[in-house]
Amino acid sequence: MYVGALELDLLLGDVHSLKQKRSAVRPVVAELRKRFEVSAAEAGHLDLHRRALIGVAAVAADAEHVRDVLAACERLVAGRPELELLSARHRLLGPDDD
């Protein structure tokens, strides 16, 4: 079993309140969950209205599949015009990791 994690650090566009931030982040998280069948949530920068950290996790029997899914998630978020992807951090844990 392989577990992959992806942290996406985002800068949001024309957002002036936490309510507007939620309106921008929720559809992205929902699309990641639906399209790629991953676990996704807003996981950081909760008190900043123009920044968001989205965490994504995937589990599979094949490491390459986990890498492909997380790369596709990153491309989806990077392609959103209302968001600027500042950084993406990938992690992979496998059967040999303790």
Side-chain angles (χ1 to χ4, degrees):
M1 176 179 77
Y2 292 89
V3 178
L6 172 64
E7 290 179 345
L8 301 166
D9 191 3
L10 307 172
L11 179 64
L12 306 175
D14 191 28
V15 173
H16 302 288
S17 70
L18 293 175
K19 186 175 180 179
Q20 287 179 321
K21 175 185 176 179
R22 282 192 305 274
S23 296
V25 172
R26 276 187 186 164
V28 175
V29 170
E31 186 174 2
L32 287 168
R33 288 177 180 164
K34 184 176 180 181
R35 183 179 287 189
F36 300 108
E37 296 182 358
V38 295
S39 179
E42 184 178 0
H45 305 308
L46 300 175
D47 57 342
L48 301 175
H49 65 270
R50 291 206 58 222
R51 294 281 299 274
L53 182 72
I54 295 177
V56 180
V59 177
D62 179 24
E64 193 61 33
H65 180 68
V66 172
R67 285 189 197 98
D68 291 345
V69 168
L70 295 180
C73 290
E74 181 180 347
R75 284 192 303 274
L76 177 113
V77 172
R80 303 278 300 230
E82 72 274 18
L83 307 172
E84 180 181 344
L85 181 60
L86 299 177
S87 68
R89 183 175 176 192
H90 294 252
R91 290 184 222 161
L92 183 67
L93 297 171
D96 296 332
D97 298 320
D98 290 329

